[in-house]
Amino acid sequence: ILGARPTLGGLLIDPCVPSSWKQFSIRRVFRGATYEIDLTNPDGVQKGVKKVTVDGREITGNLLPMFESGTHKVEVVMGA
């Protein structure tokens, strides 16, 4: 439901939540690194990722890069 799934290529962000959820957070350890993920849902959608930033840098798509260690701040904006 929260949508942080491990894949071979990295951590995939693909939430499916009630449209009433406007904001939520996930803390996920994946392959030795910690991801602190804050999700916002300004349009009240149930699925879809509009924008992802990792450590202040916008990435293309919703597959987070792999890190070997450390804590990484991820911001996700849901939308179409």
Side-chain angles (χ1 to χ4, degrees), residues 10-71:
L11 194 59
L12 182 67
I13 304 299
D14 186 25
C16 181
V17 298
S19 59
S20 61
W21 287 23
K22 297 298 183 188
Q23 161 176 1
F24 57 100
S25 298
I26 305 166
R27 184 166 193 225
R28 177 72 192 251
V29 176
F30 178 65
R31 296 186 183 162
T34 301
Y35 296 80
E36 294 181 347
I37 307 166
D38 293 320
L39 295 97
T40 57
N41 187 7
D43 300 328
V45 299
Q46 293 179 340
K47 288 187 66 89
V49 173
K50 186 186 296 186
K51 180 180 174 183
V52 179
T53 59
V54 179
D55 296 331
R57 298 175 133 185
E58 188 170 348
I59 66 168
T60 301
N62 59 340
L63 184 64
L64 302 182
M66 290 186 289
F67 297 98
E68 292 182 11
S69 62
T71 299

